[in-house]
Amino acid sequence: MATVHEIEQRLFSWAPRESAMDWDNVGHLVGDPEQEVERILVALDITERVVQEAIDCGAQLIVSHHPVMNVRWHEREMQTLRPDTRLGGVLTTLVKNDISAICMHTNLDAADGGVNDCLAKKLGLNDVFLLNDEKIGRIGTLSCEKGLEEFLRDVIELLGCSGLRYRRGSGRVHRVAVGGGACSEYIPQAIAQGCDTFVTSDLRYNDFLDTRGLNLIDAGHFPTENVVCPAVKTYLEEHFPEVKTVISTSHRDVIQYYL
């Protein structure tokens, strides 16, 4: 039976640790590296509901995209380990139930076949190539040019968005950049590479205010990254066929829209 350490190393052969941003927290973050694994639960985030789902389905390991201890999101909470805080409750429940956690974050963003390739494929882009040297983001083309409203409808349907935010640029969509998650810093690179549209998330007011000549689409953090979970499941099944791997059914986008 495969161990947590063996699974971590196999995931690193797909998404090397060295390709993660230097601030990031990736790899095996919780649990015993020698623990044998019979069942894996795949999720975008490790939340209270995901941990309970792992307990209920008998998983010994959760493989997620976002680190359970995210140094950018949880800097203050990571100073303590208390069950009465959200993060502390998640970590103590994992430990008490002998459930390990492996997290592949910006290294999976950059990986071939990772988050951004999955996003580009989901949106129907062809001839896909790297947006930048960090390998965070991709550029591709649609098989035929579309109007912006038609493409917005496609994005909502294909990514399962509850809604989205956008700013009209040219109003036509053909050469598209994608950046799963928060990639606003790459707007200038998308423009410089001749893109007419950029699909990403977590855009700020000034991103919409200052951007010119580019259809700018904020499709949400969860929808633009959750596309990688089926790829993670497939990868694990190919390399560890003896381990049962399932995608979380309890984890979903926490952002809702009131219209």
Side-chain angles (χ1 to χ4, degrees):
M1 192 63 63
T3 66
V4 171
H5 176 71
E6 290 169 342
I7 294 169
E8 176 199 39
Q9 293 307 301
R10 175 56 65 179
L11 285 166
F12 275 145
S13 70
W14 176 22
R17 183 191 295 272
E18 296 74 24
S19 62
M21 297 292 188
D22 55 10
W23 52 262
D24 206 358
N25 189 21
V26 302
H28 178 207
L29 303 184
V30 179
D32 181 359
E34 298 307 318
Q35 182 179 30
E36 293 188 343
V37 178
E38 296 179 0
R39 183 178 291 261
I40 300 171
L41 183 65
V42 175
L44 194 72
D45 297 281
I46 300 179
T47 65
E48 298 97 325
R49 293 178 67 175
V50 169
V51 174
Q52 187 58 53
E53 185 179 0
I55 295 170
D56 293 342
C57 76
Q60 296 80 34
L61 172 64
I62 302 173
V63 175
S64 74
H65 177 49
H66 291 136
V68 62
M69 293 170 283
N70 188 316
V71 293
R72 285 193 165 178
W73 296 352
H74 306 132
E75 182 177 0
R76 180 169 296 181
E77 286 188 80
M78 286 171 62
Q79 305 305 310
T80 63
L81 182 58
R82 293 174 38 170
D84 61 340
T85 66
R86 193 208 67 80
L87 178 60
V90 166
L91 293 174
T92 54
T93 304
L94 287 170
V95 172
K96 286 180 179 179
N97 289 276
D98 294 322
I99 299 173
S100 295
I102 295 174
C103 307
M104 297 282 147
H105 192 207
T106 53
N107 53 327
L108 191 57
D109 289 330
D112 291 340
V115 171
N116 287 291
D117 281 321
C118 289
L119 180 55
K121 182 178 180 179
K122 194 73 172 177
L123 293 178
L125 302 185
N126 304 304
D127 304 319
V128 174
F129 60 96
L130 299 178
L131 172 61
N132 51 50
D133 292 339
E134 294 105 324
K135 299 183 179 180
I136 306 296
R138 301 290 188 269
I139 294 174
T141 56
L142 296 175
S143 56
C144 61
E145 185 178 279
K146 295 182 178 181
L148 178 58
E149 287 76 11
E150 181 183 358
F151 185 68
L152 293 175
R153 290 192 295 269
D154 290 344
V155 171
I156 288 176
E157 180 180 352
L158 293 169
L159 301 186
C161 306
S162 299
L164 51 75
R165 302 183 300 153
Y166 73 97
R167 170 167 182 159
R168 177 181 294 272
S170 67
R172 305 302 299 173
V173 182
H174 186 232
R175 185 177 175 90
V176 181
V178 298
C183 290
S184 61
E185 66 266 38
Y186 303 127
I187 292 172
Q189 296 179 23
I191 294 172
Q193 297 224 43
C195 296
D196 51 58
T197 305
F198 187 24
V199 180
T200 185
S201 76
D202 297 0
L203 295 172
R204 301 162 298 179
Y205 175 76
N206 61 289
D207 295 322
F208 291 105
L209 184 68
D210 297 337
T211 300
R212 296 288 184 270
L214 183 71
N215 300 313
L216 195 55
I217 301 173
D218 186 330
H221 204 114
F222 182 93
T224 59
E225 292 190 326
N226 195 51
V227 291
V228 80
C229 287
V232 173
K233 178 179 184 289
T234 297
Y235 183 85
L236 290 169
E237 288 174 334
E238 289 175 352
H239 293 280
F240 301 99
E242 75 281 9
V243 177
K244 177 67 174 178
T245 302
V246 297
I247 296 175
S248 172
T249 59
S250 68
H251 186 35
R252 57 186 61 90
D253 197 352
V254 296
I255 297 174
Q256 296 176 297
Y257 294 85
Y258 183 78
L259 301 175

